[in-house]
Amino acid sequence: MSSSIGKLLTLTTFGESHGVALGGVVDGYPAGIEIDEDFIESEMARRRPGSTTLGTQRSEDDIPRILSGVFNGVSTGTPIGFVIENKTQRSSDYGEIAHKYRPGHADYTYDMKYGIRDYRGGGRSSGRETSCRVFGGALAKLLLRKEGISVNAGVIEAGGIKAVNYSWNPPFKGPLYAPENRNLPDMEKAIRDAKMDTDSVGGIIECRIENMLPGLGDPVFDKLDATLAHAIMSIGAVKGIEFGSGFDAARKKGSENNDAMRAENGKVEFLSHNAGGILGGISNGDDIVFRVAIKPTASIAKEQLTITDTLENTTISVHGRHDPAIVPRAVPVIEAMAALVIADHLLIERAYGRR
Amino acid sequence: MSSSIGKLLTLTTFGESHGVALGGVVDGYPAGIEIDEDFIESEMARRRPGSTTLGTQRSEDDIPRILSGVFNGVSTGTPIGFVIENKTQRSSDYGEIAHKYRPGHADYTYDMKYGIRDYRGGGRSSGRETSCRVFGGALAKLLLRKEGISVNAGVIEAGGIKAVNYSWNPPFKGPLYAPENRNLPDMEKAIRDAKMDTDSVGGIIECRIENMLPGLGDPVFDKLDATLAHAIMSIGAVKGIEFGSGFDAARKKGSENNDAMRAENGKVEFLSHNAGGILGGISNGDDIVFRVAIKPTASIAKEQLTITDTLENTTISVHGRHDPAIVPRAVPVIEAMAALVIADHLLIERAYGRR
Amino acid sequence: MSSSIGKLLTLTTFGESHGVALGGVVDGYPAGIEIDEDFIESEMARRRPGSTTLGTQRSEDDIPRILSGVFNGVSTGTPIGFVIENKTQRSSDYGEIAHKYRPGHADYTYDMKYGIRDYRGGGRSSGRETSCRVFGGALAKLLLRKEGISVNAGVIEAGGIKAVNYSWNPPFKGPLYAPENRNLPDMEKAIRDAKMDTDSVGGIIECRIENMLPGLGDPVFDKLDATLAHAIMSIGAVKGIEFGSGFDAARKKGSENNDAMRAENGKVEFLSHNAGGILGGISNGDDIVFRVAIKPTASIAKEQLTITDTLENTTISVHGRHDPAIVPRAVPVIEAMAALVIADHLLIERAYGRR
Amino acid sequence: MSSSIGKLLTLTTFGESHGVALGGVVDGYPAGIEIDEDFIESEMARRRPGSTTLGTQRSEDDIPRILSGVFNGVSTGTPIGFVIENKTQRSSDYGEIAHKYRPGHADYTYDMKYGIRDYRGGGRSSGRETSCRVFGGALAKLLLRKEGISVNAGVIEAGGIKAVNYSWNPPFKGPLYAPENRNLPDMEKAIRDAKMDTDSVGGIIECRIENMLPGLGDPVFDKLDATLAHAIMSIGAVKGIEFGSGFDAARKKGSENNDAMRAENGKVEFLSHNAGGILGGISNGDDIVFRVAIKPTASIAKEQLTITDTLENTTISVHGRHDPAIVPRAVPVIEAMAALVIADHLLIERAYGRR
């Protein structure tokens, strides 16, 4: 089922950006977890446009309504259905694109696949659908919180400007959700410059999962990094993922890349962290660290060459209120997907009496 | 099921490097496909050590025996069971590691997960298990061949030396399976130098899927890039994956990264290929291009700091015949996994009468 | 995922009888199908209490609201989300049972499983949840209608009174939804008598799938009868299922039970129908016929021995408006589940170019 | 995947009756379970023809060879691969049917589905494939044994003769594997008579799962009875299944069919057992009881009307050594499938810390 992810703890979603509503079902959620609706709201708030002054001023009142699975503020163990009504469904911002394919968007591929194109907004490929992921991820985070496991992400590169010498002290503040570092002003400037230039920029997000338990992940095909990669790459605008030293590992020697081990007072330590917390597809207890490449927003007002749906050559300017960078808004979405995956693997480990 | 991958066309595997045998089941394979056993054998041959003079001289006679699902050389549509006997099961090469955890290996994580450690070889995490993947991938390639779709991979970086100005003319020749380019001698030298230095190196592999059909991939969670990432990252030693311009996309402007479109004589063309053949998680008909980061071989004879399974600090030298670089051997495995994923999505498209 | 059923065409549901709303997602539904909302409404209407004068007069305004996946009255191929608001949430009818387990209900087993009991109504085990099944089934029927395949069920026994010498001419009329036959008045009387006696009765429902295509069903574990049995037995109050001659086959000789075959003008005929349309788990083109045992309604006003949730012995009378027989209301639910299964298998066959 | 069953504990199988070998993979099996190979052998022995003097004298040396997942006689937690070589592959017994469809068999439906018919034996629909199920079930029984849960089945009706006044004291002795009762000689005679008459008979098997844990089963679609029904109905020759009072429940009043409850010394008792151990799809702690209808063997020497694969009318006598009744041989297969399902649900409950 392509609208579902997870094996025991699953998230199923539906909804398009300009449809009546979005929503879904979180299934396999344990009973007895206190459902902290303020926490859920704070997670939802982080992904809204306008939550960052670098972004657009679109209004999305995506307040989720929980329809089942919670009784007296506690999960019952039965499926948690939720709906997020689309209060502002304004097609007018998208009028020009009814018959033209926007470069960098999924317009063309959707038409190729379904033969029917809902041109209103991005349909099922729009950023709005991420609200369902963030809701599911918030529930997963509540479960992980009980284990002391935390999932945090932050922007470590924007518009080509890298964060340097940063400490990892989440949560990171808006508008960029980047760790404090001396390049932060330049990172933010790169985004504002793109906006003024009717263009857009991309960036790189780092995600760390701390206080991990060792032993999560299932060889051969449901390795922890494989399932994390699946979940993260399913987020729109993601073009790459790497774990630990990632692509740099390709340039290291084995003697440099292997993480030596040491034990002190019965506690195991890794002397370096090139593995990124995962070895042989299984967590080793170290923090899990991965980085995600986010491409620049495809919707830009700059004129671009394209074709119509009758295969005529034309140009297009995508007007309307679009973010000059998706990167800040992707931060909570990446956390959400990672939390769902870790929580799922945790439940599987419990099935085998291992956690 | 963690030993299975795929939704309609599935591969299930079993077996450890020093167990009696490896094998598995390919299910959901269409009836009527000619099973070209010479082709399967040539695919299996590419992954064996000794198939590359840069590698080790271990003998693996991993000839697969097909036990069902094929009648008179043609697939029957019923599950294809296969077994690959482990003719050479020699534990002696691994003697030292019975109670020490090898850095960079899955020894420690397996012990944390299962509480039982089969120290013989790499167990379920060894490279040997890839023979089952290559077998399944060979069947998938036969299916794709009927559509004219080809899946090829090649080493574009080894030991930090990049291939430059290369043409993509597969199949690439051993021992490195890299495209012809002027840096090829230095790429091979980097590997041989590592071997002489009792160390190892990593590399980067590029994979291209050509003559693709548009429309493959299922939003939201089974996007084509997400499922490819899952399958590729499930291969041991893989630490990262990127599609199209990948991590470079993060540094481009939207106006640069969007691929403009043009139509000529009813045929659609993309004027650049930053998308890597996938937009919104669905193939656009362009070649799919992705790159994979392979870490250096963990087993090196150089002495490393580690601990015993009773948490004492010690050192270890992993002797025996190990490849100084996994990279060349990973090439057919990456092709195999990609072929399985594309073939699965193709069958799903056919369910909907779309291909 | 226990809230989901199906492999390509899937239905995921959520919601409890006294929660805020019910709903779900239909995923994998082909694009381009006209969504006939009048037809959906007529299907939903058949399952409501009060739709049969033999039933209760509870008011359930379960009008489904489609939230996605349909554009201009046609399916888009993307997931179809739907919600059914619970307008009348009245706990007062259930007050007595807050701390007593109702015999024949899932109260005790839910408490054993989840440790949390939502005593309001039947929770996730109530009959109300069937509205989601009927909605999903209605969509499946629309798909099958395009193939000419029809799914109909009718009550052939109620309160121990069997329908005799009936013709199969659906649709069958309320209040009982039984085929016309001379015992129909006695069947209806048995139900009314039970009501007056503050008791309840069960019955048997026959389902026929006509104009079937041969070849649907997947050996070994997803045989057509196995997946139908799974779907039907997942409906509350179902205690048994049999196909073709069913339990009677156990009493026949092979020479009697085997269905002889004949060909006339290139058309294949079965001279008897003991197989019920399925052989070796695959449809043979004959009508599929199965029968379902429905137990009597567990909620009765008659006093019964039971225990409290603190393990004290007590008695209970379940007052309120309960159906004296579930049987008529189960008819559209059985059709719905059967339609979902057949449609799913049909899509799988298409993946292999077989239909 | 139609060759797989189960969610956490899964069995995947391959192989045909006249192929080279049968086998499969048991995945998700916990580590640390002692693999009692004598027990496995005794389970395999019960299903062989010739294990019952009422059956045929075909020789099947189906000794399974474990290829992975077991080390020093203990499960490692990794997938358990196994192969059962087909020592006697004799096509000659089946010569006549190469171009005729045997009534009651899957010949016709396989041809309709795959367009390729492997006429040798029953292919994937033959009884031989059950050896893989019994192997997987034996592993599941070892797991349940640790919990004190037992799964036993016995023949309670054969050739129309019912067992009367029987006690449930498994294991039951061959050749019929029926509980001791005064009709046992007549039950056995009915089978021998059919054999002498070149005909066959069916029967009914009862299965009881004792010392059950309450709380197993997942609403809404993976109810315990639904998943059991799926697994049991996937066995060849099964035409129906009923739980508890089953089809008789349809004829009872609610006041009769509801099982009253009583508590004594903190222990909960059900005063009757019409539920068959399952309420609302979840086990209640009572023994699970279900009955299965087995049709008569389709292969009989009596002449039958049929058609050829070129649609000509003809007759057929299926000679060779066929069992006059499948019923005794189905007993261990039913136990095996039930054990797999219960064990899978048990692991799922553990994931939620409930068992």
Side-chain angles (χ1 to χ4, degrees):
Chain A
M1 280 167 43
S2 58
S3 298
S4 292
I5 192 162
K7 179 184 284 192
L8 285 185
L9 175 67
T10 65
L11 169 69
T12 302
T13 72
F14 67 84
E16 294 112 23
S17 70
H18 282 77
V20 177
L22 298 143
V25 187
V26 174
D27 192 14
Y29 197 72
I33 309 280
E34 228 188 277
I35 302 305
D36 183 342
E37 296 210 36
D38 289 336
F39 174 72
I40 294 173
E41 171 52 26
S42 67
E43 291 286 297
M44 302 298 294
R46 284 201 296 153
R47 68 158 285 290
R48 291 184 192 121
S51 71
T52 124
T53 61
L54 300 166
T56 64
Q57 297 307 319
R58 292 206 306 291
S59 166
E60 279 182 33
D61 296 336
D62 50 6
I63 319 278
R65 204 163 56 109
I66 294 177
L67 303 179
S68 65
V70 179
F71 184 45
N72 291 337
V74 176
S75 61
T76 61
T78 57
I80 300 172
F82 65 97
V83 172
I84 302 173
E85 308 274 348
N86 257 345
K87 300 234 149 69
T88 51
Q89 298 167 44
R90 299 180 44 181
S91 298
S92 60
D93 284 352
Y94 296 92
E96 184 184 19
I97 59 108
H99 294 285
K100 295 182 182 181
Y101 297 120
R102 292 168 295 173
H105 274 274
D107 302 345
Y108 177 69
T109 53
Y110 263 66
D111 217 349
M112 286 295 101
K113 185 176 181 75
Y114 295 113
I116 287 183
R117 180 184 161 195
D118 181 350
Y119 57 80
R120 304 170 295 161
R124 195 87 178 106
S125 70
S126 87
R128 198 148 201 174
E129 162 261 20
T130 58
S131 57
C132 298
R133 296 171 186 249
V134 172
F135 177 83
L139 292 180
K141 280 186 172 188
L142 287 172
L143 203 157
L144 294 178
R145 209 157 63 170
K146 294 189 79 178
E147 298 294 318
I149 297 174
S150 68
V151 180
N152 296 101
V155 177
I156 61 166
E157 188 178 312
I161 312 293
K162 291 183 188 341
V164 290
N165 286 36
Y166 55 92
S167 299
W168 192 260
N169 300 313
F172 305 118
K173 295 201 312 284
L176 189 51
Y177 300 104
E180 275 298 319
N181 79 96
R182 74 163 191 265
N183 282 347
L184 187 49
D186 286 334
M187 293 166 72
E188 294 177 342
K189 181 176 187 299
I191 295 177
R192 284 194 311 267
D193 286 352
K195 186 174 186 181
M196 286 195 312
D197 201 32
T198 63
D199 209 329
S200 63
V201 290
I204 296 182
I205 290 172
E206 182 166 295
C207 181
R208 297 195 190 182
I209 303 164
E210 297 174 287
N211 291 327
M212 261 304 283
L213 297 168
L216 268 59
D218 281 298
V220 168
F221 294 114
D222 284 346
K223 291 183 159 98
L224 189 59
D225 39 1
T227 49
L228 279 167
H230 186 148
I232 300 300
M233 296 265 353
S234 79
I235 300 169
V238 171
K239 295 307 284 186
I241 186 168
E242 58 175 16
F243 290 79
S245 47
F247 277 85
D248 276 353
R251 290 136 197 161
K252 294 190 180 195
K253 297 263 172 43
S255 55
E256 297 167 336
N257 197 58
N258 283 353
D259 298 324
M261 299 176 73
R262 222 181 92 88
E264 185 134 351
N265 301 326
K267 197 174 174 319
V268 172
E269 254 201 272
F270 290 88
L271 301 183
S272 51
H273 309 282
N274 293 297
I278 299 175
L279 271 177
I282 300 172
S283 58
N284 62 9
D286 231 11
D287 293 349
I288 291 175
V289 182
F290 63 86
R291 280 172 301 281
V292 183
I294 308 287
K295 72 175 196 180
T297 321
S299 290
I300 53 179
K302 260 198 200 312
E303 198 169 51
Q304 305 171 82
L305 292 175
T306 189
I307 60 178
T308 66
D309 51 19
T310 48
L311 299 193
E312 285 159 33
N313 292 308
T314 182
T315 62
I316 187 170
S317 279
V318 187
H319 291 290
R321 302 169 300 182
H322 301 287
D323 292 310
I326 293 166
V327 185
R329 298 191 65 191
V331 166
V333 188
I334 284 171
E335 290 177 5
M337 297 312 297
L340 281 163
V341 171
I342 299 295
D344 192 28
H345 279 278
L346 178 64
L347 291 172
I348 293 170
E349 281 310 288
R350 288 182 176 164
Y352 292 93
R354 293 190 292 243
R355 289 277 155 246
Chain B
M1 279 169 46
S2 58
S3 298
S4 292
I5 192 164
K7 179 183 284 192
L8 285 186
L9 175 67
T10 64
L11 169 69
T12 302
T13 71
F14 68 84
E16 293 111 23
S17 71
H18 282 78
V20 176
L22 299 141
V25 186
V26 174
D27 192 13
Y29 197 73
I33 309 282
E34 227 188 278
I35 302 306
D36 183 341
E37 296 210 36
D38 289 335
F39 174 71
I40 294 174
E41 171 51 26
S42 67
E43 292 287 295
M44 303 298 294
R46 284 201 297 152
R47 69 159 282 290
R48 294 187 190 118
S51 70
T52 123
T53 60
L54 300 165
T56 64
Q57 298 305 319
R58 293 206 304 292
S59 167
E60 281 180 33
D61 295 334
D62 51 6
I63 319 279
R65 203 163 56 110
I66 294 177
L67 302 178
S68 65
V70 179
F71 185 45
N72 290 338
V74 176
S75 61
T76 61
T78 57
I80 299 173
F82 64 97
V83 172
I84 302 174
E85 308 273 348
N86 258 344
K87 300 236 149 70
T88 51
Q89 298 167 45
R90 299 180 45 181
S91 297
S92 58
D93 284 353
Y94 296 92
E96 183 183 20
I97 59 109
H99 293 286
K100 295 182 181 180
Y101 297 121
R102 292 168 296 174
H105 272 275
D107 301 345
Y108 177 69
T109 53
Y110 263 66
D111 217 349
M112 287 294 103
K113 185 175 181 76
Y114 295 114
I116 287 181
R117 178 183 163 199
D118 180 351
Y119 57 81
R120 304 171 296 163
R124 195 88 178 108
S125 70
S126 85
R128 197 147 201 175
E129 162 263 13
T130 58
S131 57
C132 298
R133 297 172 185 248
V134 172
F135 177 83
L139 291 180
K141 281 186 170 188
L142 287 173
L143 204 158
L144 295 177
R145 209 157 66 170
K146 294 189 79 178
E147 298 294 318
I149 297 174
S150 67
V151 180
N152 296 101
V155 176
I156 61 166
E157 186 177 315
I161 312 293
K162 292 181 184 351
V164 290
N165 286 34
Y166 54 92
S167 300
W168 193 260
N169 300 313
F172 306 117
K173 296 202 308 284
L176 190 52
Y177 300 103
E180 275 298 321
N181 79 98
R182 71 161 192 268
N183 283 346
L184 186 50
D186 286 333
M187 293 166 74
E188 295 176 341
K189 182 175 187 300
I191 296 177
R192 285 193 311 267
D193 286 352
K195 186 173 187 183
M196 286 195 312
D197 200 32
T198 63
D199 208 331
S200 63
V201 290
I204 295 181
I205 289 172
E206 183 168 294
C207 182
R208 298 195 189 182
I209 303 164
E210 297 174 286
N211 291 327
M212 261 304 282
L213 296 168
L216 268 59
D218 282 298
V220 169
F221 295 114
D222 284 345
K223 290 183 159 100
L224 189 59
D225 37 3
T227 48
L228 279 167
H230 187 148
I232 301 298
M233 296 263 356
S234 79
I235 301 171
V238 172
K239 295 308 284 186
I241 186 168
E242 60 174 16
F243 289 79
S245 44
F247 277 85
D248 276 354
R251 290 134 197 163
K252 295 191 180 195
K253 297 265 172 44
S255 56
E256 296 167 337
N257 197 59
N258 283 353
D259 298 322
M261 299 176 72
R262 220 180 94 87
E264 184 133 354
N265 302 326
K267 197 173 174 317
V268 173
E269 251 201 273
F270 290 88
L271 301 184
S272 51
H273 308 282
N274 292 296
I278 299 175
L279 272 176
I282 299 173
S283 59
N284 63 11
D286 230 10
D287 293 349
I288 290 174
V289 181
F290 63 87
R291 279 171 299 281
V292 183
I294 308 285
K295 72 176 195 181
T297 320
S299 292
I300 53 180
K302 261 197 201 311
E303 198 168 50
Q304 306 172 79
L305 291 174
T306 189
I307 62 178
T308 65
D309 51 19
T310 47
L311 299 191
E312 284 158 34
N313 292 308
T314 182
T315 61
I316 187 172
S317 278
V318 186
H319 292 290
R321 303 169 299 181
H322 300 288
D323 292 310
I326 293 166
V327 184
R329 298 191 63 188
V331 167
V333 188
I334 284 170
E335 291 178 4
M337 297 312 297
L340 281 163
V341 171
I342 300 295
D344 192 28
H345 279 279
L346 178 64
L347 291 172
I348 293 170
E349 281 310 288
R350 287 180 177 166
Y352 293 93
R354 293 190 292 243
R355 289 280 154 242
Chain C
M1 280 169 43
S2 57
S3 297
S4 292
I5 192 163
K7 179 183 284 193
L8 285 186
L9 176 66
T10 64
L11 169 69
T12 302
T13 71
F14 67 83
E16 294 112 22
S17 71
H18 282 76
V20 176
L22 300 142
V25 187
V26 174
D27 192 13
Y29 197 73
I33 309 283
E34 227 188 278
I35 303 306
D36 182 342
E37 297 211 36
D38 289 335
F39 174 73
I40 293 174
E41 171 52 25
S42 67
E43 291 286 295
M44 302 298 293
R46 283 200 298 152
R47 69 159 283 289
R48 292 188 191 118
S51 70
T52 123
T53 59
L54 300 165
T56 64
Q57 300 304 320
R58 290 205 308 292
S59 166
E60 280 181 32
D61 297 334
D62 52 4
I63 319 277
R65 204 162 58 109
I66 294 178
L67 302 178
S68 65
V70 180
F71 184 45
N72 291 338
V74 175
S75 61
T76 62
T78 57
I80 299 172
F82 65 97
V83 172
I84 302 174
E85 308 274 348
N86 258 344
K87 299 234 150 68
T88 49
Q89 298 168 44
R90 298 181 45 184
S91 297
S92 58
D93 283 352
Y94 297 92
E96 184 182 20
I97 60 109
H99 292 285
K100 294 182 181 180
Y101 298 120
R102 292 168 295 174
H105 273 276
D107 301 346
Y108 176 69
T109 53
Y110 263 65
D111 217 349
M112 287 294 101
K113 184 176 182 74
Y114 296 114
I116 286 182
R117 179 182 161 200
D118 181 352
Y119 57 79
R120 304 171 297 163
R124 195 89 179 105
S125 68
S126 85
R128 197 149 201 173
E129 163 263 14
T130 59
S131 57
C132 298
R133 297 172 185 249
V134 172
F135 177 83
L139 291 181
K141 281 186 171 187
L142 288 173
L143 204 157
L144 294 178
R145 209 158 64 171
K146 295 190 77 179
E147 298 293 318
I149 297 174
S150 67
V151 180
N152 295 102
V155 177
I156 61 166
E157 186 178 314
I161 312 292
K162 292 180 183 352
V164 291
N165 286 34
Y166 53 93
S167 300
W168 193 261
N169 300 312
F172 305 118
K173 293 200 313 284
L176 189 51
Y177 301 104
E180 275 297 320
N181 80 97
R182 72 161 191 268
N183 283 347
L184 187 49
D186 286 334
M187 292 166 75
E188 294 177 341
K189 181 176 187 301
I191 295 178
R192 286 194 309 267
D193 287 352
K195 187 173 186 180
M196 288 195 309
D197 200 33
T198 63
D199 209 330
S200 63
V201 290
I204 296 182
I205 290 173
E206 183 167 294
C207 182
R208 297 195 192 183
I209 303 164
E210 297 173 287
N211 290 327
M212 260 304 283
L213 296 169
L216 268 58
D218 281 299
V220 169
F221 295 114
D222 284 346
K223 290 182 159 101
L224 189 59
D225 37 3
T227 49
L228 280 168
H230 187 149
I232 300 300
M233 296 265 354
S234 80
I235 300 170
V238 172
K239 295 308 285 186
I241 186 169
E242 60 175 15
F243 290 79
S245 44
F247 277 85
D248 277 353
R251 290 135 197 162
K252 295 192 181 194
K253 296 264 171 45
S255 55
E256 297 166 336
N257 195 60
N258 282 352
D259 298 322
M261 299 176 73
R262 221 181 94 88
E264 185 133 352
N265 301 325
K267 198 174 173 316
V268 173
E269 253 200 275
F270 289 88
L271 301 184
S272 52
H273 309 282
N274 293 297
I278 298 175
L279 272 177
I282 299 173
S283 59
N284 62 11
D286 231 9
D287 293 348
I288 290 175
V289 181
F290 63 86
R291 279 170 301 280
V292 184
I294 308 285
K295 72 176 195 180
T297 320
S299 290
I300 53 180
K302 261 197 201 313
E303 198 168 51
Q304 307 173 78
L305 291 175
T306 189
I307 61 177
T308 66
D309 51 19
T310 46
L311 300 192
E312 283 160 34
N313 292 309
T314 182
T315 62
I316 187 172
S317 279
V318 186
H319 292 289
R321 302 169 300 182
H322 301 288
D323 293 310
I326 292 167
V327 185
R329 298 191 64 188
V331 167
V333 190
I334 284 170
E335 291 179 4
M337 297 312 298
L340 281 163
V341 171
I342 300 296
D344 192 28
H345 279 279
L346 177 64
L347 291 172
I348 292 169
E349 281 310 289
R350 286 182 178 163
Y352 293 92
R354 294 191 291 244
R355 289 278 155 246
Chain D
M1 281 167 42
S2 58
S3 298
S4 292
I5 193 163
K7 180 184 283 193
L8 286 186
L9 176 66
T10 64
L11 170 68
T12 302
T13 72
F14 67 84
E16 294 112 21
S17 71
H18 283 77
V20 177
L22 299 142
V25 187
V26 174
D27 193 12
Y29 196 73
I33 310 281
E34 227 188 279
I35 303 304
D36 183 343
E37 296 211 34
D38 290 335
F39 174 72
I40 294 174
E41 171 53 24
S42 66
E43 292 286 295
M44 302 298 293
R46 284 201 297 153
R47 71 158 281 291
R48 291 187 191 120
S51 70
T52 124
T53 60
L54 299 165
T56 64
Q57 299 305 318
R58 292 205 307 292
S59 165
E60 281 183 30
D61 296 335
D62 51 6
I63 320 278
R65 201 162 61 107
I66 294 177
L67 302 179
S68 65
V70 179
F71 184 45
N72 290 338
V74 176
S75 61
T76 62
T78 58
I80 300 172
F82 64 98
V83 172
I84 302 173
E85 308 273 348
N86 258 345
K87 301 235 149 70
T88 50
Q89 299 166 43
R90 300 180 44 181
S91 298
S92 59
D93 283 351
Y94 296 93
E96 185 185 19
I97 59 107
H99 292 284
K100 295 181 181 181
Y101 296 121
R102 292 167 295 174
H105 273 276
D107 300 347
Y108 177 69
T109 53
Y110 262 66
D111 217 349
M112 286 296 100
K113 184 175 181 75
Y114 295 114
I116 286 181
R117 179 185 163 197
D118 180 351
Y119 57 80
R120 305 171 295 164
R124 199 82 176 80
S125 69
S126 85
R128 198 149 201 173
E129 162 262 15
T130 58
S131 57
C132 298
R133 297 172 185 248
V134 171
F135 177 83
L139 291 181
K141 281 186 171 186
L142 287 173
L143 204 156
L144 294 178
R145 208 157 64 170
K146 295 190 80 178
E147 298 293 319
I149 296 174
S150 68
V151 180
N152 295 102
V155 176
I156 61 166
E157 186 178 315
I161 312 294
K162 291 182 187 346
V164 292
N165 285 36
Y166 55 92
S167 300
W168 192 259
N169 300 312
F172 305 118
K173 295 201 311 285
L176 190 51
Y177 300 104
E180 274 299 319
N181 79 99
R182 73 160 190 267
N183 283 347
L184 186 50
D186 286 334
M187 293 167 72
E188 294 178 341
K189 182 175 186 300
I191 295 178
R192 285 194 310 267
D193 285 353
K195 186 174 187 181
M196 287 195 310
D197 201 33
T198 63
D199 209 329
S200 63
V201 290
I204 296 180
I205 290 173
E206 181 167 297
C207 182
R208 298 196 190 181
I209 303 165
E210 297 173 288
N211 292 326
M212 261 303 284
L213 296 168
L216 268 59
D218 281 298
V220 172
F221 295 113
D222 283 347
K223 291 184 160 98
L224 190 59
D225 39 1
T227 49
L228 279 167
H230 186 149
I232 300 301
M233 296 263 356
S234 79
I235 300 170
V238 172
K239 295 307 285 186
I241 185 169
E242 59 176 14
F243 290 78
S245 43
F247 277 85
D248 278 353
R251 289 134 199 165
K252 293 191 181 193
K253 297 262 170 47
S255 54
E256 296 167 337
N257 196 60
N258 283 352
D259 298 323
M261 298 176 74
R262 220 180 94 87
E264 186 134 350
N265 301 326
K267 198 173 174 318
V268 173
E269 254 202 271
F270 290 88
L271 301 184
S272 52
H273 309 282
N274 293 297
I278 299 175
L279 271 176
I282 299 172
S283 59
N284 62 10
D286 231 11
D287 293 348
I288 291 175
V289 182
F290 63 86
R291 280 171 300 281
V292 184
I294 308 286
K295 72 176 196 180
T297 321
S299 290
I300 54 179
K302 261 198 201 311
E303 198 169 49
Q304 306 171 80
L305 291 175
T306 188
I307 61 177
T308 66
D309 52 18
T310 49
L311 299 193
E312 283 158 34
N313 292 307
T314 182
T315 62
I316 188 170
S317 280
V318 186
H319 292 289
R321 302 169 300 182
H322 301 287
D323 292 310
I326 293 168
V327 185
R329 297 192 64 190
V331 166
V333 189
I334 284 170
E335 290 177 5
M337 298 312 297
L340 280 163
V341 171
I342 300 296
D344 192 27
H345 279 280
L346 178 64
L347 291 172
I348 292 170
E349 281 310 289
R350 288 182 177 164
Y352 293 92
R354 294 191 290 243
R355 289 279 155 244

